[in-house]
Amino acid sequence: MANSYDVIVIGAGPAGYVGAIRCAQLGMSVAVIDEYRRKDGEAALGGTCLNVGCIPSKALLDSSEHYHRVQSELAGHGIRVEGTSLDVPQMIKRKDKVVADLTGGIKQLFKANRIEWLQGHGKLLAERQVEFTPHKGKARTLTADSVILATGSRPIEIGAAPLDGDRIVDSAGAQEFQEVPKRLGVIGAGVIGLEMGSVWNRLGSKVVLLEAQEEFLSPVDQQVSREARKLFEKQGLDIKLGCRVTGTRKGKTVSVHYEDGEGKQNLQVDRLIVSVGRRPNTDGLSSEDADLLTDERGYVHVNDDCETNIPGVYAVGDVVRGPMLAHKGSEEGVMVAERIAGHAGHVNYETIPWVIYTDPEIAWVGRTESQLKAAGTPYRSGTFGFAATGRARAMDRADGMVKIIAHAETDRILGVHMVGPQTSELIAEATLAMEYEASAEDLARTIHAHPTLSEAVHEAALAVGKRAIHKAN
């Protein structure tokens, strides 16, 4: 182990490891300090996203979708399956293998790029020094020309529902159930709550989601969120809004006490998932004499280039302002690496796509109709339902819609919002169009293959000008 590097990165999640690889590609000597350990105690790269977040949740969503289709949908295709059984431990085992393969891949990338992986805790000291404390052994002080802070986030815990790692769990614990709970409660009907609720709902749980806000999925365009809620409730998810959880009590079941517009209520469940958001993982990240500036919620203060108040010290990903999204953090990591190397790194925060991986999926980029109304921006919009596309009908995935919002005067695309099949992939076209400042007319005059799901994007662009072909304008 060296004592001095060009760059030291604290944190090996999507923001940290991507930034480290880009620094190495640009010829810098790099060390990455990370303290994450798997449930078996072994160190692993990838942070929350790869180990207990984005990747394992998608693996379980995929498995649960297969099971649900066999149970409920394949007969309509003329495919009859007799004697189907569910092996939840095997499902969890497969999820763990997907995670291990990907985190092992990052380890190989570190070797290929000659990045030193230091397993333990990193703390920023004054004058761009970093204290490294290994899992076993004594602390030592390292120095670097530049330091990147990328320690990610962790679930918010609430006193009304203290976690016990068994019956009351966070999102990570929800990925470790060894059997399907008959009744499952979820506190929080945001991205994580909906995804985890969808997994266990498909596998047979009776799922109730308790959301404190009065509006369902407030960051999502209201027309899309209304459509999504209707489809989720049709699937059996019980979504209760305006609910404030006041306490829990454990006996043979978990008793959840909450208040809504009708007064005090009680819910009995077998397992309870707490998914009320995440907070920056910045406790113990820096010493007092480092003088790192953070706000009251723990976010590190940075400028437009993700540089902190300390010259040569940067922060990226969930520890800084903006959405807590893996791809946003990765792009910030690349930007910072290129800035350190003297290049023109850049992140366009106006074109960051969002996705909720339920079925149907929800995806969006840019502004919502409500935001444009509040800003007084003149706009036109066009929508198109997947039910009118041949590919969606053939796939038996005809629910949902695409909505495109364009400036009323310039026709520049301001936002694209979708709920439906594979919208996590379809949103890339809209993001690219917005990155190039395309107009709705540009999309409308782009030939889309037939039959494809992407034809819904094409028709929605045509609908902005009230000339969609396969619907009445």
Side-chain angles (χ1 to χ4, degrees):
M1 183 195 305
N3 289 319
S4 181
Y5 302 86
D6 293 327
V7 179
I8 293 176
V9 182
I10 304 178
Y17 87 74
V18 170
I21 290 173
R22 186 66 183 126
C23 284
Q25 289 175 343
L26 292 167
M28 300 176 230
S29 60
V30 184
V32 175
I33 303 173
D34 189 76
E35 62 182 342
Y36 184 84
R37 288 197 278 192
R38 301 187 311 228
K39 56 189 176 184
D40 61 4
E42 290 295 315
L45 296 164
T48 293
C49 179
L50 268 73
N51 287 282
V52 292
C54 317
I55 301 305
S57 64
K58 304 312 166 284
L60 290 177
L61 280 161
D62 192 65
S63 295
S64 66
E65 183 177 348
H66 289 312
Y67 177 75
H68 177 73
R69 296 207 75 184
V70 169
Q71 292 291 98
S72 307
E73 298 178 6
L74 292 188
H77 291 260
I79 303 171
R80 300 191 182 279
V81 182
E82 303 293 339
T84 304
S85 62
L86 180 62
D87 186 344
V88 176
Q90 173 59 31
M91 191 176 293
I92 302 302
K93 183 178 178 181
R94 173 189 174 273
K95 176 262 299 181
D96 289 342
K97 184 180 185 305
V98 171
V99 169
D101 289 346
L102 288 172
T103 56
I106 298 173
K107 183 178 179 180
Q108 294 303 314
L109 288 172
F110 271 30
K111 288 182 179 179
N113 288 280
R114 299 181 181 179
I115 297 170
E116 190 158 0
W117 175 22
L118 307 180
Q119 300 166 18
H121 180 73
K123 176 188 285 189
L124 177 68
L125 307 176
E127 299 179 355
R128 294 194 298 277
Q129 294 185 321
V130 175
E131 180 184 82
F132 166 57
T133 306
H135 292 308
K136 295 181 180 180
K138 297 180 179 179
R140 60 184 299 179
T141 301
L142 311 174
T143 62
D145 295 331
S146 300
V147 177
I148 302 175
L149 308 176
T151 46
S153 61
R154 64 179 182 272
I156 293 173
E157 299 184 28
I158 56 175
L163 306 178
D164 64 7
D166 179 22
R167 284 189 288 172
I168 303 179
V169 300
D170 59 15
S171 56
Q175 300 166 12
E176 299 298 332
F177 294 162
Q178 295 297 306
E179 60 183 10
V180 179
K182 291 183 179 179
R183 296 168 299 176
L184 176 65
V186 184
I187 304 177
V191 176
I192 298 172
L194 283 170
E195 291 183 356
M196 287 294 95
S198 293
V199 167
W200 297 105
N201 176 64
R202 292 175 193 165
L203 299 178
S205 288
K206 174 61 179 174
V207 180
V208 179
L209 296 103
L210 304 176
E211 171 57 50
Q213 294 190 47
E214 298 288 346
E215 184 180 338
F216 179 60
L217 290 177
S218 56
V220 178
D221 185 86
Q222 289 183 1
Q223 188 176 359
V224 170
S225 65
R226 285 195 299 268
E227 177 73 7
R229 183 180 181 185
K230 180 180 70 175
L231 294 172
F232 294 150
E233 291 181 337
K234 184 179 178 181
Q235 294 171 7
L237 291 176
D238 186 357
I239 302 169
K240 299 182 183 295
L241 303 179
C243 300
R244 184 174 67 89
V245 175
T246 58
T248 52
R249 182 171 53 83
K250 292 184 294 182
K252 292 183 178 180
T253 62
V254 179
S255 181
V256 184
H257 303 280
Y258 67 96
E259 296 179 1
D260 60 14
E262 298 180 358
K264 295 182 179 180
Q265 308 289 345
N266 181 262
L267 174 69
Q268 301 292 324
V269 296
D270 299 297
R271 296 284 183 100
L272 180 65
I273 302 172
V274 180
S275 59
V276 295
R278 302 181 66 84
R279 62 184 297 261
N281 195 26
T282 51
D283 294 348
L285 178 57
S286 65
S287 63
E288 288 188 14
D289 62 347
D291 200 27
L292 180 69
L293 183 61
T294 60
D295 67 16
E296 68 279 0
R297 295 181 296 168
Y299 288 95
V300 179
H301 177 77
V302 292
N303 62 16
D304 291 343
D305 298 328
C306 284
E307 189 169 21
T308 70
N309 61 303
I310 307 168
V313 177
Y314 301 82
V316 294
D318 288 4
V319 297
V320 302
R321 77 285 180 272
M324 288 184 172
L325 298 171
H327 44 281
K328 172 259 193 184
S330 294
E331 291 304 316
E332 287 177 334
V334 170
M335 174 184 71
V336 165
E338 294 178 348
R339 286 284 181 178
I340 292 171
H343 299 177
H346 171 70
V347 173
N348 183 357
Y349 290 94
E350 296 299 316
T351 56
I352 297 175
W354 296 62
V355 179
I356 303 176
Y357 294 88
T358 45
D359 182 15
E361 295 179 337
I362 304 170
W364 70 98
V365 61
R367 302 303 178 93
T368 66
E369 195 169 341
S370 297
Q371 290 171 332
L372 294 171
K373 284 181 179 178
T377 303
Y379 66 88
R380 299 182 300 162
S381 66
T383 62
F384 194 80
F386 283 102
T389 66
R391 183 66 187 277
R393 285 285 187 181
M395 294 168 59
D396 199 20
R397 286 289 183 269
D399 289 329
M401 56 176 281
V402 176
K403 178 177 183 177
I404 295 179
I405 308 173
H407 197 286
E409 298 166 358
T410 67
D411 199 39
R412 179 179 173 182
I413 299 171
L414 302 176
V416 180
H417 310 271
M418 309 175 179
V419 54
Q422 298 182 22
T423 58
S424 58
E425 303 295 338
L426 295 178
I427 200 64
E429 175 183 10
T431 304
L432 182 64
M434 289 184 63
E435 184 66 32
Y436 280 92
E437 301 185 359
S439 64
E441 183 72 9
D442 289 327
L443 272 184
R445 291 193 176 276
T446 299
I447 300 173
H448 289 66
H450 172 77
T452 59
L453 297 174
S454 66
E455 286 179 286
V457 179
H458 183 223
E459 291 272 7
L462 285 165
V464 171
K466 298 188 184 302
R467 62 183 204 273
I469 301 299
H470 292 93
K471 69 170 246 183
N473 292 288

